[in-house]
Amino acid sequence: MAKQGVASMLALALLLGAFATIPTGVHAIGVCYGVNGDNLPSASDVVQLYRSNGINQMRIYFPDTNALNALSGSNIGVIMDVPNSALSSLASDPSAAATWVQSNVQAFPGVNFKYIAVGNEVSGGDTNSILPAMKNVNSALANAGLGNIKVSTAVQSGVTQGFPPSQGSFSQGYMGPIAQYLQSTGAPLLCNVYPYFSYTGNEAQIDLSYALFTSPGTVVQDGGNAYQNLFDALVDTFVSALENAGAGNVGVVVSESGWPSAGGDAATPGNAQTYNQNLINHVGQGTPKRPGSIETYIFAMFNEDQKPGAETERHFGLFNPDKSPAYPINFS
């Protein structure tokens, strides 16, 4: 879920920014499905809403039985999280990981699982459990004949440091071994990327247009790479961090990105629509360091009025609980 802590991370995107030509026919967009709200549609209605809008990928934040049953047979690609609260037990006990996989993955053979996210933006002492839990879950999947499902963890931009993007590195010691493990398994790193929080944390030096993909030209020239928007700069900082950790072959999946429509600075329906539509249109072309489609999940499907934290957290939805669009978006 979105975190304001992302803001302080990179005083990286200094200056203003710009946006390049937008390709069509993007097939790399998913949407995160959170359930911390009142009067949300049934899971079966949610899956139908995804399908009717041509959204072919979903992230869920725990093994939600209702969602998994509704997803069965839909062929929607799924990221499913291991909740942070479960990391310690899965890290310390391979049999607990095997039971988790049996109950939450093997029990739903009709679901198109793509990735298991072992923790989301884990912090504090729990970070010591990420890698052993990943290893145990990966082994449990392999033993169940499900080695095609990749195991990773979802991190926010605060685990990186450095500007310009080519100078990116991991600021947290636990990330190097995780990156090297991902390189050994072929799984991507799941990255939560929020230009919104970078902008609101440094409005004096970051132009809103840089965050919204709407500036007219290159702003940050980083060697041979020209950065016209903050999203690309944040993603490529992760790419450089992976390279500097000896894991340059690890892919990046943007497991969350979005913009709130209310509740804070620059949080308007117009800005949210501009950001998310431009994101959808942009990710098919990739970043300067990684041209090509970037698999990206918008946060989030619904405005969730029960989400804790800052007011903006309750206004990231593309849709209202009655399934009406919060603002117009074209997913094709």
Side-chain angles (χ1 to χ4, degrees):
M1 57 190 71
K3 297 278 194 217
Q4 287 195 338
V6 202
S8 57
M9 59 178 192
L10 302 162
L12 108 69
L14 303 172
L15 314 160
L16 332 118
F19 181 54
T21 306
I22 300 173
T24 57
V26 174
H27 301 289
I29 285 287
V31 179
C32 303
Y33 171 34
V35 295
N36 292 320
D38 291 321
N39 303 312
L40 295 180
S42 68
S44 59
D45 283 353
V46 171
V47 169
Q48 183 55 44
L49 190 60
Y50 273 66
R51 298 179 75 170
S52 65
N53 282 279
I55 306 167
N56 298 317
Q57 299 175 126
M58 177 188 291
R59 181 180 178 187
I60 59 176
Y61 290 89
F62 65 98
D64 182 339
T65 300
N66 291 329
L68 293 170
N69 284 326
L71 285 162
S72 184
S74 70
N75 205 38
I76 291 173
V78 176
I79 300 178
M80 182 168 69
D81 284 29
V82 173
N84 294 1
S85 59
L87 294 190
S88 178
S89 64
L90 299 190
S92 61
D93 185 359
S95 67
T99 298
W100 192 94
V101 166
Q102 183 177 33
S103 299
N104 301 310
V105 181
Q106 289 175 269
F108 300 95
V111 175
N112 178 22
F113 292 104
K114 296 186 71 176
Y115 312 114
I116 303 298
V118 178
N120 181 55
E121 298 183 355
V122 182
S123 62
D126 289 340
T127 57
N128 296 324
S129 296
I130 299 171
L131 184 55
M134 287 172 60
K135 290 179 175 179
N136 285 342
V137 171
N138 198 49
S139 294
L141 288 167
N143 292 337
L146 297 171
N148 59 305
I149 302 171
K150 297 300 184 182
V151 176
S152 187
T153 188
V155 296
Q156 50 127 314
S157 291
V159 303
T160 65
Q161 61 188 1
F163 175 82
S166 62
Q167 299 304 304
S169 63
F170 287 119
S171 59
Q172 305 297 318
Y174 61 86
M175 286 302 302
I178 288 173
Q180 290 156 19
Y181 180 69
L182 293 173
Q183 178 142 297
S184 75
T185 65
L189 181 63
L190 305 178
C191 302
N192 298 344
V193 177
Y194 283 98
Y196 173 77
F197 290 124
S198 298
Y199 166 73
T200 57
N202 195 9
E203 293 183 32
Q205 292 179 294
I206 299 175
D207 192 271
L208 180 60
S209 61
Y210 190 37
L212 291 174
F213 298 93
T214 56
S215 287
T218 298
V219 176
V220 175
Q221 190 70 39
D222 184 7
N225 292 329
Y227 287 90
Q228 302 168 313
N229 63 81
L230 180 51
F231 175 86
D232 283 354
L234 295 173
V235 172
D236 277 356
T237 300
F238 274 112
V239 173
S240 294
L242 287 165
E243 293 170 349
N244 288 330
N249 292 328
V250 173
V252 167
V253 168
V254 177
S255 44
E256 288 183 10
S257 191
W259 195 282
S261 60
D265 288 355
T268 67
N271 285 343
Q273 179 188 26
T274 296
Y275 178 81
N276 284 321
Q277 189 66 67
N278 286 339
L279 178 68
I280 289 167
N281 295 340
H282 177 72
V283 294
Q285 73 187 44
T287 69
K289 285 181 72 73
R290 292 271 180 93
S293 182
I294 302 175
E295 186 176 344
T296 299
Y297 293 75
I298 295 176
F299 187 88
M301 194 65 172
F302 297 105
N303 286 319
E304 300 172 66
D305 62 353
Q306 296 301 311
K307 281 205 69 186
E311 182 62 25
T312 51
E313 295 286 335
R314 293 176 278 284
H315 300 281
F316 272 85
L318 299 173
F319 292 88
N320 297 307
D322 66 1
K323 298 185 287 186
S324 64
Y327 41 81
I329 285 286
N330 181 7
F331 294 95
S332 61

